[in-house]
Amino acid sequence: MPMGNRTSSSDFVLLGLLVSSEATGAVFTVIFAIFMVAVAANLVMIFLIWVDSRLHTPMYFLLSQLSIMDTLFICTTVPKLLVDMVSTEKTISFVACGIQIFLYSTMAGSEFFLLGLMAYDRYVAVCNPLRYPVLMNRKLCLLLAAGAWFGGSLDGFLLTPITMNVPYCGSRQINQFFCEIPAVLKLACADTSLHETLMYICCVLMLLIPISLISASYALILFTVHRMRSAEGRKKAFTTCSSHLTVVSIFYGAAFYTYVLPPSFHTPEQDKVVSAFYTIVTPMLNPLIYSLRNKDVMGALKKVFAHCSPAQKASSEA
């Protein structure tokens, strides 16, 4: 059916997390709290990187892009989930579903590429520290960020038509809390094997390219660290890379489970748990991992608090 001829009868119904009515209030409170913390933490990270000159480095520039992606990522799915949890109307229009698929595919794809490019940044910082300012110049950083956004957008433009051009004439109930592609394709009333194969190839490539870059970068980093004689140098290299490795493990692990493992290896209930983790929890964890384990970010935060404190204002006025 042409997209313009669709009416409310073509709306999908999001079944949500399917929690008991007694637990809905508690689950809503937890998700809302996570959402607020995630948005606030990412916006604070962006603000600190913007205002503190000590954070005007390639690593923090790429980290600011990660925070932007995480903010948009969580805002794509969680507000609709929260509304559905307190509403009897849990529908989403065909167009809105397509927009949601495009936005979360774009944000997830952009983050895949960005995490891979951040591994290259860590490789240059550890293996070529003296040439780091030259190799990671401003122009290259802008190109890397633009490449990540372009790669994510390409993912969205490829996966959205694949999903939304399938005929849906049976059940309209999506067994998920947002329009996740595998859950939507299960409602198709036609053979989707070709669509699923194309989606599988696309997702594997989206994972394979960044993972290859990450693996190569960290192999060279390990080789360099192994040759270091200074224990302090090894500790500094480990500290430099540990936060990035933690974020990579969390995000890529969830994506691999959802999009690469065959459906026979997981149930719809497990899918919801993993989807909730990477769409709700991960955007909150990323800024916390980078801030709590980073003395430069914590120093910038303390500097802002000190500047805004009443005592500081009183001394400046005096």
Side-chain angles (χ1 to χ4, degrees):
M1 186 182 299
M3 202 164 168
N5 294 336
R6 293 186 180 269
T7 63
S8 60
S9 62
S10 68
D11 291 352
F12 292 108
V13 177
L14 296 170
L15 296 183
L17 295 175
L18 294 180
V19 296
S20 63
S21 56
E22 294 81 7
T24 299
V27 174
F28 177 90
T29 303
V30 170
I31 294 176
F32 180 75
I34 292 174
F35 174 72
M36 295 302 296
V37 170
V39 173
N42 280 293
L43 291 179
V44 167
M45 182 71 74
I46 296 168
F47 173 75
L48 292 177
I49 294 171
W50 179 264
V51 300
D52 197 303
S53 59
R54 294 174 300 176
L55 303 183
H56 293 173
T57 64
M59 182 183 80
Y60 292 110
F61 171 74
L62 296 177
L63 184 56
S64 70
Q65 299 300 302
L66 180 66
S67 291
I68 293 172
M69 292 173 187
D70 279 334
T71 303
L72 296 174
F73 192 32
I74 196 170
C75 288
T76 299
T77 58
V78 174
K80 174 62 177 171
L81 168 62
L82 293 173
V83 170
D84 287 347
M85 292 186 73
V86 296
S87 172
T88 56
E89 188 89 8
K90 304 180 188 299
T91 60
I92 182 169
S93 69
F94 182 85
V95 174
C97 187
I99 293 173
Q100 193 176 63
I101 288 174
F102 173 77
L103 290 176
Y104 96 78
S105 298
T106 298
M107 292 306 112
S110 299
E111 196 157 334
F112 288 148
F113 284 116
L114 185 68
L115 289 173
L117 296 172
M118 289 173 74
Y120 172 76
D121 171 74
R122 295 301 81 211
Y123 153 72
V124 177
V126 174
C127 300
N128 296 282
L130 297 179
R131 300 181 61 197
Y132 182 71
V134 177
L135 294 175
M136 293 296 295
N137 56 68
R138 179 175 178 80
K139 182 179 179 181
L140 179 61
C141 290
L142 291 173
L143 287 174
L144 293 177
W149 283 101
F150 175 77
S153 300
L154 189 63
D155 188 36
F157 280 117
L158 286 174
L159 294 180
T160 305
I162 289 175
T163 306
M164 304 313 290
N165 284 330
V166 176
Y168 297 100
C169 51
S171 173
R172 316 298 296 184
Q173 296 184 336
I174 301 174
N175 192 14
Q176 189 54 276
F177 61 89
F178 69 105
C179 287
E180 191 176 38
I181 295 174
V184 174
L185 284 177
K186 289 180 180 179
L187 305 182
C189 56
D191 183 17
T192 60
S193 56
L194 178 60
H195 296 77
E196 291 174 357
T197 301
L198 291 173
M199 186 188 73
Y200 180 81
I201 293 172
C202 181
C203 292
V204 168
L205 289 175
M206 293 291 294
L207 289 170
L208 187 61
I209 295 173
I211 286 177
S212 298
L213 181 58
I214 292 170
S215 300
S217 297
Y218 278 104
L220 294 170
I221 288 173
L222 286 174
F223 179 72
T224 302
V225 171
H226 178 71
R227 296 171 59 187
M228 288 181 180
R229 296 181 179 180
S230 168
E232 184 65 26
R234 292 185 178 185
K235 181 180 178 182
K236 185 177 180 180
F238 175 77
T239 303
T240 301
C241 301
S242 58
S243 297
H244 179 256
L245 278 174
T246 303
V247 172
V248 165
S249 301
I250 292 173
F251 197 73
Y252 278 80
F256 183 86
Y257 174 91
T258 303
Y259 294 103
V260 177
L261 282 181
S264 57
F265 282 78
H266 42 92
T267 64
E269 289 72 25
Q270 293 171 335
D271 290 343
K272 288 185 181 183
V273 173
V274 175
S275 296
F277 183 78
Y278 82 82
T279 58
I280 302 173
V281 180
T282 301
M284 177 193 70
L285 290 178
N286 288 351
L288 296 181
I289 290 171
Y290 274 103
S291 61
L292 296 177
R293 304 178 64 178
N294 190 304
K295 63 179 182 180
D296 292 333
V297 175
M298 294 305 294
L301 187 61
K302 291 176 182 178
K303 183 179 176 181
V304 170
F305 278 133
H307 184 73
C308 297
S309 64
Q312 178 70 20
K313 289 182 178 180
S315 61
S316 62
E317 289 174 0

